[in-house]
Amino acid sequence: MEVRSIVLGPGEPYELRLTGRGARGYVWTWQVTGDADVVTVAEGPTACGAGLPGAPVERTYVVRGRPPGGGRARIRFAQVRPPYPDEAPYDEFVLDVEVVAVTGAA
């Protein structure tokens, strides 16, 4: 499991790319903990590998700091197969996000 830490300002996006295994029935899910209201997570455009059947598909997720900022959230991405909820995730990725509050301009 990889863990990455980032710092965002309010409204600032961060693009995360994760390799998918959709042909094998796996999907990426995410859960936000901590100050969950300081970030949003949305799926971005999908980039297919070589366009061949069964080729890995790169999934893109856009994490964005929310105004007014000032908090920390942890986003846990897990690659799971929905028909098997008790099965351990195939892969996991954790993103620690600090959203800094904007102070007055100098």
Side-chain angles (χ1 to χ4, degrees):
M1 170 174 49
E2 183 180 345
V3 178
R4 187 178 301 165
S5 297
I6 61 169
V7 177
L8 297 175
E12 184 179 356
Y14 176 79
E15 197 170 273
L16 175 66
R17 291 186 177 99
L18 299 171
T19 301
R21 288 174 173 68
R24 295 185 180 157
Y26 288 94
V27 297
W28 283 102
T29 61
W30 65 86
Q31 180 180 16
V32 182
T33 58
D35 299 323
D37 59 338
V38 300
V39 295
T40 61
V41 181
E43 287 191 57
T46 301
C48 295
L52 301 172
V57 175
E58 191 173 79
R59 307 297 297 188
T60 303
Y61 299 90
V62 179
V63 176
R64 189 177 303 272
R66 292 185 61 191
R72 294 176 183 267
R74 173 169 270 203
I75 307 167
R76 178 184 171 266
F77 291 87
Q79 197 172 41
V80 298
R81 292 192 300 176
Y84 306 100
D86 296 329
E87 185 176 83
Y90 179 82
D91 197 5
E92 293 179 283
F93 184 93
V94 173
L95 188 63
D96 288 326
V97 183
E98 179 182 0
V99 181
V100 293
V102 174
T103 58

